[in-house]
Amino acid sequence: MSTSENMVKTDRDPRLYNADLAPVKSEHRDWSWLNMSTVWMGMVHNVVAYESAAGLMALGLNAIQAIAAVGTAYFILFIVLWFNAKAGTKYGIPFCVLIRSSFGVFGANLPVIIRGFIAIFWFAVQGYAGSQAINAIMSTLWYPWSTWTTTLLGLSLNGWLSLGVFWALHALVVSHGVHRIRNFELIAGPLVIIVGLIATIWALGIAHGFGPIFAQPSKLHGMNGMLTFAIGVTGMIGIWSTFAVNIPDLTRFTKSQKDQVIGQLIGLPITAIVFTAMSVIVTSGTIIAFGKPIWDPVNLLKAINNPAITVLGGVTVIIATLSVNVAANIMPAAYDLVNLFPKKLTFIKAALLVLIIGLFFAPWYWFQNASTIFKVLGMIGGLLGPVTGIMLVDYFVVNKENYDVETFYMYSEEKDGKYGIKTNGVYALLIASVVALSGYFVPWLSIAADFSWFIGIGVGASLYWWFSVKWPTPYGVANQPTHLSRVEESAD
């Protein structure tokens, strides 16, 4: 080991650094645009996204408007993801390390804990939804399974067994780290698309076209229609606004900026529009087949009542839910836990710990009141909008796309202050969060709740820029060209 390399490793604070938090070496950044696109395909194709068109149409949008709302929302989200991914791609470091620039090496724990909480919560909710597909498959293939309905802690025995099997599948995928996740997503994303195409062909055949849903006129007109469309767009953004914060967790492994941009463009807005159109077409076909629209894919499988289709469709739902849970929930939560306990946890240990913590959220109780789930998630999403705005301003405006990465792994009371906290980021987050969430607590501002993410990102970005102008701090800013080569050389 060279003297310079030994010096770098010695200078790094063990409370801030381990191999999983270190910059990824150039030769290990092997994710292409294809890997990024299939990861997004796997995440977009989930039960919540499938049913989201129903929520849009419940607002009064017709089928075409619902698809247009999805396209608009995901294109806006793509732009934010594109730019917030650039630092992670350039330096090969995750969100929990990048955020140290704007919050300080220990102040960063505030947004990290918020992001980790919502990731584990989402994992638990999605995991329970996926376990229902296992329950449906087993009840179809083996009748005694359906009779195991004794309840324990609010969940039936067959529900517990299904949950246990699904948790074990998650453990299998994450047990060999990020590269196994990449390989799993490479298969899962396209597979779900293929099955979706088969279901779409079935629906087109049974309805002899696009079906009755597409024949329904819009109930929205004028300014009221435009406002409702905007609310629908914001709601769709809310599903993935949390991932806008930690997209560097994925793009740190990509080969180039071009790969992350093209991969996300194909995998997010394009795939999302296609997938939403599929879900609307299939649901339209269910009106002809069963006399009513069925938006829940598991309930659709039960209605078809064909063992072969139930198994094939159930496996697809399982794979789709695994895809989104592993990449969008377990992965960021694991990095966040590693950031909090770098001396104790590796990525794999943290990922397995996420599985255990997720059980304590008891997601089967939350499913009894779905509106509560989305209210809680919407409020926490309102907290993450400011974090996204702060990250963008910090990288592009304050630091001019130039970080001294080594400072993110070091702490000294003289340089970072007694507690290692940058108050500019903390104050901007706290104030912007109060403003973004005001609509949930002040009746005459209730309309603001529907736009909490936009409000949060705008106010957070503006405040952080203003604080940085008024009270500039040198932390994390490289006056000379960044020491990226030294960082890569010393990374494990």
Side-chain angles (χ1 to χ4, degrees):
M1 181 183 293
S2 67
T3 303
S4 63
E5 184 178 346
N6 185 60
M7 179 180 66
V8 170
K9 286 183 176 291
T10 301
D11 288 344
R12 288 175 172 171
D13 192 317
R15 293 172 297 175
L16 303 170
Y17 173 86
N18 70 11
D20 290 306
L21 299 178
V24 179
K25 294 181 180 180
S26 294
E27 60 268 26
H28 294 156
R29 299 181 195 177
D30 53 2
W31 287 33
S32 68
W33 65 267
L34 179 61
N35 295 119
M36 278 302 300
S37 62
T38 54
V39 164
W40 267 113
M41 286 179 187
M43 291 193 294
V44 167
H45 304 148
N46 62 81
V47 174
V48 173
Y50 186 96
E51 296 179 353
S52 62
L56 292 173
M57 296 180 73
L59 292 175
L61 278 64
N62 62 21
I64 300 300
Q65 289 172 329
I67 295 171
V70 170
T72 303
Y74 281 41
F75 184 76
I76 293 171
L77 193 56
F78 160 71
I79 298 297
V80 175
L81 287 160
W82 170 9
F83 284 97
N84 211 30
K86 293 189 72 173
T89 307
K90 180 177 180 179
Y91 296 109
I93 53 181
F95 152 72
C96 57
V97 175
L98 283 169
I99 200 68
R100 294 172 184 174
S101 175
S102 49
F103 283 80
V105 290
F106 296 124
N109 289 337
L110 174 61
V112 165
I113 289 172
I114 293 172
R115 178 63 186 102
F117 175 87
I118 194 171
I120 298 176
F121 189 94
W122 258 122
F123 156 73
V125 169
Q126 292 273 13
Y128 177 71
S131 72
Q132 298 307 292
I134 293 178
N135 210 345
I137 291 174
M138 292 304 300
S139 297
T140 298
L141 296 180
W142 191 41
Y143 174 74
W145 182 279
S146 64
T147 65
W148 297 346
T149 55
T150 302
T151 301
L152 176 64
L153 298 177
L155 187 63
S156 65
L157 177 59
N158 54 20
W160 275 110
L161 293 173
S162 301
L163 203 65
V165 172
F166 203 39
W167 254 238
L169 290 175
H170 284 88
L172 179 65
V173 174
V174 302
S175 61
H176 285 76
V178 173
H179 292 290
R180 172 172 281 191
I181 293 174
R182 178 199 64 182
N183 295 335
F184 171 74
E185 300 288 352
L186 190 62
I187 298 171
L191 179 61
V192 176
I193 277 282
I194 292 171
V195 176
L197 284 172
I198 294 173
T200 302
I201 293 171
W202 166 81
L204 289 172
I206 200 168
H208 303 291
F210 289 106
I213 283 184
F214 282 87
Q216 293 180 7
S218 173
K219 301 175 183 177
L220 305 176
H221 306 284
M223 286 300 298
N224 180 59
M226 294 175 62
L227 178 62
T228 304
F229 184 87
I231 292 173
V233 168
T234 307
M236 291 303 302
I237 290 176
I239 296 176
W240 292 109
S241 61
T242 53
F243 209 69
V245 169
N246 66 278
I247 186 62
D249 292 347
L250 290 181
T251 61
R252 67 190 296 229
F253 299 102
T254 53
K255 297 177 181 179
S256 67
Q257 298 288 354
K258 181 179 178 181
D259 283 296
Q260 69 98 347
V261 173
I262 294 176
Q264 293 201 86
L265 177 62
I266 296 173
L268 184 57
I270 294 176
T271 302
I273 293 170
V274 172
F275 183 65
T276 302
M278 287 180 178
S279 66
V280 174
I281 291 170
V282 171
T283 305
S284 191
T286 63
I287 296 177
I288 303 296
F290 306 107
K292 62 180 180 179
I294 302 177
W295 290 97
D296 186 330
V298 175
N299 288 336
L300 175 57
L301 295 175
K302 293 177 180 178
I304 293 175
N305 196 27
N306 182 303
I309 293 177
T310 299
V311 171
L312 175 62
V315 168
T316 304
V317 171
I318 291 167
I319 291 174
T321 308
L322 272 174
S323 297
V324 66
N325 247 356
V326 168
N329 298 322
I330 295 178
M331 193 171 178
Y335 278 125
D336 293 343
L337 287 174
V338 171
N339 175 76
L340 295 174
F341 307 102
K343 292 192 284 187
K344 300 290 185 181
L345 295 176
T346 63
F347 176 82
I348 294 176
K349 288 180 180 178
L352 296 176
L353 183 58
V354 169
L355 301 183
I356 297 172
I357 297 174
L359 287 175
F360 289 94
F361 281 89
W364 50 92
Y365 285 117
W366 290 90
F367 263 72
Q368 295 172 11
N369 190 348
S371 62
T372 303
I373 294 178
F374 289 102
K375 183 176 181 179
V376 170
L377 292 174
M379 293 175 66
I380 298 177
L383 294 175
L384 292 178
V387 178
T388 306
I390 290 168
M391 291 178 71
L392 291 170
V393 169
D394 184 72
Y395 182 60
F396 289 100
V397 180
V398 176
N399 290 296
K400 311 298 183 185
E401 301 184 57
N402 189 29
Y403 284 145
D404 185 350
V405 177
E406 278 300 321
T407 63
F408 298 160
Y409 301 103
M410 301 175 185
Y411 167 74
S412 70
E413 188 171 316
E414 179 181 354
K415 175 175 71 71
D416 301 311
K418 185 175 181 181
Y419 301 107
I421 297 173
K422 277 188 69 174
T423 55
N424 288 356
V426 174
Y427 290 160
L429 172 60
L430 294 178
I431 296 172
S433 297
V434 171
V435 175
L437 299 179
S438 60
Y440 290 98
F441 303 102
V442 181
W444 59 274
L445 291 176
S446 59
I447 187 65
D450 295 318
F451 301 99
S452 60
W453 183 78
F454 281 108
I455 294 171
I457 197 171
V459 176
S462 301
L463 286 175
Y464 185 71
W465 171 78
W466 176 249
F467 292 159
S468 298
V469 170
K470 296 290 288 184
W471 302 287
T473 53
Y475 176 75
V477 181
N479 297 318
Q480 303 296 327
T482 182
H483 306 300
L484 183 56
S485 60
R486 185 176 67 154
V487 171
E488 288 188 340
E489 179 186 1
S490 62
D492 288 332

